[in-house]
């Protein structure tokens, strides 16, 4: 069973390293990540959440698993969508965030090809959440200081 880092592990605040090429090692990491994500259960996971400091993410919001290397948001909709977000790195708490309802993301796919894909609704929320993790950000960083402090205090009581 893959272990999740626990907040405030400093690796959760560290920007992940780019993937040079999609190879068998990367594909094996993706499979490990998918197993961990489905066991949570969740709709996405970034490699740093399990201590692998590479720009790898997986998303499955019900339409099948998507494996992403070096994902970057190329375009985001003006329209926002609210959704409750949480993280296995800080269990027991969640917060309602507003993020763009749709995003276009460029990334390397399982074959190592550069692709661009549109994500909407829950998939869009999840991929944005994972990219935050790859950049060393947690979802609660998007809250006001007061709400963030309240959430972290509540998490300490849960943990």
């Amino acid at each position: 069973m893959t272990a999740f880092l626990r907040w405030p592990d400093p690796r959760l605040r560290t920007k992940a390293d780019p993937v040079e090429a999609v190879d068998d090692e990367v594909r094996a990491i993706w499979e490990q990540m998918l197993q961990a994500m489905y066991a949570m259960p969740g709709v996405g996971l970034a490699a740093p959440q399990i201590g692998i400091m590479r720009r790898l993410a997986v998303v499955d919001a019900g339409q099948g698993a998507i494996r992403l290397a070096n994902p970057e948001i190329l375009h985001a909709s003006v329209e926002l969508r609210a959704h409750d977000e949480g993280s296995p790195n800080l269990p027991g708490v969640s917060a309602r965030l507003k993020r763009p309802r749709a995003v276009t993301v460029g990334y390397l796919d399982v074959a190592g090809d550069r692709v661009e894909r549109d994500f909407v609704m829950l998939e869009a929320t999840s991929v944005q959440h994972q990219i935050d993790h790859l950049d060393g950000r947690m979802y609660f960083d998007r809250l006001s200081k007061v709400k963030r402090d309240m959430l972290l205090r509540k998490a300490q009581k849960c943990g």
Side-chain angles (χ1 to χ4, degrees), residues 4-63:
F4 294 99
L5 299 181
R6 293 296 294 251
W7 176 259
D9 189 300
R11 290 172 287 182
L12 295 170
R13 285 288 188 216
T14 304
K15 190 169 182 165
D17 296 323
V19 173
E20 298 303 320
V22 173
D23 55 17
D24 287 342
E25 178 190 7
V26 166
R27 288 191 263 291
I29 293 169
W30 272 328
E31 294 315 307
Q32 177 186 357
M33 292 170 63
L34 285 168
Q35 287 178 8
M37 179 189 75
Y38 292 132
M40 267 190 284
V43 295
L45 189 69
Q49 293 181 267
I50 58 172
I52 299 170
M53 301 310 297
R54 299 183 68 187
R55 293 188 76 78
L56 296 170
V58 293
V59 171
D60 186 346
Q63 282 80 46

Side-chain angles (χ1 to χ4, degrees), residues 54-96:
R54 299 183 68 187
R55 293 188 76 78
L56 296 170
V58 293
V59 171
D60 186 346
Q63 282 80 46
I66 304 162
R67 297 156 181 84
L68 307 95
N70 302 332
E72 59 179 332
I73 296 172
L74 305 174
H75 176 76
S77 67
V78 175
E79 184 183 347
L80 301 179
R81 174 182 177 271
H83 188 76
D84 290 331
E85 297 187 34
S87 174
N89 307 108
L90 190 70
V93 294
S94 63
R96 192 153 192 85

Side-chain angles (χ1 to χ4, degrees), residues 6 28 32 38 110 113 116 136 138:
R6 293 296 294 251
Q32 177 186 357
Y38 292 132
V110 71
D113 295 327
E116 291 183 11
M138 296 285 288

